[in-house]
């Protein structure tokens, strides 16, 4: 009798344990978080313009208005947020940013961002727990006259001026929710400070665009703004 009772208790425990076990908090996707919003080869350089080197990241010879319109459309079609990185080819920090975040040999992955940067609540708010969440990216040459004009029209330059700069510094990161007028930029945080890590900058921008909810339980380290 005692052995039958003991066996029954073990069986009941086996049923209870899985029900009480926490749900997985990792996303098994090594796919890159960032995807190019456009194929720059699809666009025709301005006649006579020879500024761009082969495979340039920031294209001074391409019409930024055409690039931006196409990027918004492709991001909307993919149901992705659109991240615009404003910079220029000779900017060492722009190249460093790309190497650290979008290096094709070792790109930031969906798994890394969704698992390590977002809270459980934020991750659960995304379709499929964020396992296929990606961000479309466009690079705009902000030192070219047309690129600077686009930054002016979108309000990027105004944000820079509010922080005491006479022009957009680089790299400058903005986010847009395609299909809406929602637009945020990395500087729209508490005066005098910014996230210490770009991934937290990305997450806060996604909060501001209502892709994910704000979660006070997920603290983000802030540093003094330059």
């Amino acid at each position: 009798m005692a052995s039958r009772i003991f066996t029954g208790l073990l069986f009941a425990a086996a049923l209870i344990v899985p029900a009480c076990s926490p749900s997985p908090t990792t996303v098994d996707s090594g796919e890159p978080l960032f995807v190019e919003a456009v194929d720059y080869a699809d666009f025709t350089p301005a006649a006579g313009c020879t500024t761009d080197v082969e495979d340039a990241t920031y294209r001074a010879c391409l019409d930024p208005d055409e690039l931006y319109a196409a990027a918004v459309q492709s991001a909307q079609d993919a149901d992705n947020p659109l991240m615009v990185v404003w910079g220029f080819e000779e900017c060492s920090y722009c190249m460093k940013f790309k190497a650290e975040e979008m290096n094709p040999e070792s790109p930031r992955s969906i798994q890394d961002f969704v698992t390590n940067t977002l809270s459980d609540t934020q991750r659960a708010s995304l379709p499929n727990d964020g396992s296929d969440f990606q961000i479309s990216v466009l690079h705009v040459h902000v030192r070219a006259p047309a690129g600077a004009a686009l930054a002016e029209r979108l309000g990027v330059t105004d944000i820079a001026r509010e922080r005491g700069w006479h022009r957009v510094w680089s790299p400058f990161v903005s986010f847009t929710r395609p299909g809406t007028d929602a637009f945020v930029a990395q500087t729209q945080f508490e005066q005098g400070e910014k996230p210490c890590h770009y991934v937290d900058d990305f997450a806060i921008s996604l909060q501001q665009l209502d892709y994910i909810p704000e979660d006070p339980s997920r603290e983000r380290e802030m540093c003094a703004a330059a």
Side-chain angles (χ1 to χ4, degrees), residues 10-210:
L10 285 178
F11 179 73
L15 293 176
I16 293 172
V17 170
C20 297
S21 298
S23 58
T25 58
T26 59
V27 171
D28 184 18
S29 176
E31 291 297 309
L33 173 67
F34 298 111
V35 292
E36 292 284 0
V38 299
D39 184 346
Y40 299 95
D42 292 340
F43 297 83
T44 303
C49 183
T50 58
T51 301
D52 296 337
V53 299
E54 186 176 0
D55 296 326
T57 298
Y58 298 91
R59 312 295 182 98
C61 293
L62 299 183
D63 185 334
D65 293 279
E66 291 183 4
L67 292 176
Y68 184 74
V72 169
Q73 186 61 58
S74 70
Q76 185 172 2
D77 291 345
D79 199 23
N80 291 347
L82 173 64
M83 181 174 84
V84 181
V85 187
W86 307 82
F88 56 103
E89 206 67 12
E90 296 78 16
C91 167
S92 59
Y93 284 106
C94 300
M95 297 301 109
K96 182 175 183 291
F97 176 83
K98 184 176 182 181
E100 292 177 351
E101 299 296 335
M102 287 161 274
N103 183 348
E105 301 300 322
S106 181
R108 183 174 296 282
S109 68
I110 296 173
Q111 178 179 357
D112 173 63
F113 180 72
V114 173
T115 300
N116 298 325
T117 304
L118 304 186
S119 70
D120 289 350
T121 299
Q122 291 171 331
R123 183 168 50 254
S125 72
L126 294 171
N128 303 316
D129 286 333
S131 61
D132 52 4
F133 178 76
Q134 290 184 302
I135 298 172
S136 296
V137 181
L138 176 70
H139 293 87
V140 175
H141 196 306
V142 76
R143 291 292 182 267
L150 177 61
E152 186 81 44
R153 286 196 299 276
L154 292 178
V156 173
T157 310
D158 287 338
I159 296 171
R161 292 191 184 109
E162 289 171 3
R163 295 297 296 271
W165 293 71
H166 70 283
R167 65 181 181 183
V168 178
W169 64 91
S170 302
F172 185 94
V173 181
S174 66
F175 276 81
T176 300
R177 184 162 194 146
T180 74
D181 293 328
F183 172 90
V184 298
Q186 67 185 62
T187 56
Q188 294 179 345
F189 306 115
E190 292 184 30
Q191 184 67 27
E193 63 179 14
K194 63 179 181 179
C196 298
H197 309 289
Y198 270 114
V199 287
D200 290 323
D201 191 335
F202 305 152
I204 293 172
S205 292
L206 293 173
Q207 288 174 198
Q208 294 175 329
L209 291 173
D210 294 326

